[in-house]
Amino acid sequence: MRRRKPSPLIPIVMIGAAILLLIGLFHLFTPSSPKKAVQLFYTAEQTGNFGGAWDLFHPLMQDRFTKNAYVTERSHIYMSHYGVTTFSFEILKEKKVRRWRMAKGAPVFNEARLIKVRQTFKSKFGTFDVLQDVYAVKEKGDWKIVWQYE
């Protein structure tokens, strides 16, 4: 019997599919919109991944907290003070803001997005909500998280 040569297209198609899959996964975990950045940030915190949340901060925020300090303090607040292991959150609304800065003397962002977030905690002290204004700004093409300090 005569043996057929395998088609040279099969490895090319498989490599192409793998590349497309990797690109898709990259986009899944990269903030492509302000709401997506906020969603990723709070989802990371919700699962206890405070280091992953810190990675979504703008460099100005990362200058305010070292990664280790943020992870330690944020987890301590949730678990020790509030007595919770997780929370739910809701993104309420988004608004475009022009010429915004995170604190006096900080650089001005020509464009930012103000996103209101409600976190709901069920703790040993009962159920309570925390409302926070979260800002998203572009940094090297990606949306990053910033808080206001004025």
Side-chain angles (χ1 to χ4, degrees), residues 13-30:
V13 169
M14 290 179 70
I15 291 170
I19 290 170
L20 288 174
L21 179 65
L22 288 172
I23 290 170
L25 287 173
F26 176 76
H27 283 291
L28 182 66
F29 295 106
T30 302

Side-chain angles (χ1 to χ4, degrees), residues 58 60 97-112 137-138 150:
H58 186 275
L60 290 173
V97 180
R98 298 218 181 268
R99 308 246 347 118
W100 177 82
R101 70 176 78 215
M102 70 181 266
K104 288 183 181 174
V108 172
F109 294 100
N110 288 327
E111 186 177 312
V137 296
K138 277 216 171 174
E150 291 185 327

Side-chain angles (χ1 to χ4, degrees), residues 21-150:
L21 179 65
L22 288 172
I23 290 170
L25 287 173
F26 176 76
H27 283 291
L28 182 66
F29 295 106
T30 302
S32 57
S33 73
K35 280 187 179 177
K36 179 75 172 176
V38 171
Q39 179 86 29
L40 289 171
F41 178 84
Y42 282 101
T43 299
E45 289 210 332
Q46 194 177 45
T47 61
N49 181 6
F50 299 105
W54 184 90
D55 290 337
L56 293 167
F57 276 146
H58 186 275
L60 290 173
M61 287 294 293
Q62 291 177 344
D63 289 344
R64 287 189 79 91
F65 309 99
T66 65
K67 190 172 193 174
N68 187 47
Y70 182 79
V71 168
T72 302
E73 291 176 36
R74 198 75 165 172
S75 64
H76 181 75
I77 289 168
Y78 288 150
M79 294 173 195
S80 297
H81 290 297
Y82 292 169
V84 299
T85 55
T86 191
F87 58 88
S88 60
F89 70 93
E90 180 182 7
I91 296 173
L92 301 175
K93 62 182 176 177
E94 177 183 345
K95 175 182 162 186
K96 189 184 283 191
V97 180
R98 298 218 181 268
R99 308 246 347 118
W100 177 82
R101 70 176 78 215
M102 70 181 266
K104 288 183 181 174
V108 172
F109 294 100
N110 288 327
E111 186 177 312
R113 297 294 196 288
L114 165 60
I115 300 169
K116 295 211 178 267
V117 176
R118 176 188 298 134
Q119 292 174 272
T120 301
F121 297 91
K122 293 182 180 180
S123 78
K124 59 186 176 186
F125 303 110
T127 301
F128 62 94
D129 291 334
V130 173
L131 293 173
Q132 185 170 18
D133 289 344
V134 178
Y135 292 84
V137 296
K138 277 216 171 174
E139 172 70 15
K140 296 180 182 172
D142 292 327
W143 289 97
K144 298 293 185 173
I145 303 299
V146 185
W147 294 333
Q148 188 163 16
Y149 286 93
E150 291 185 327

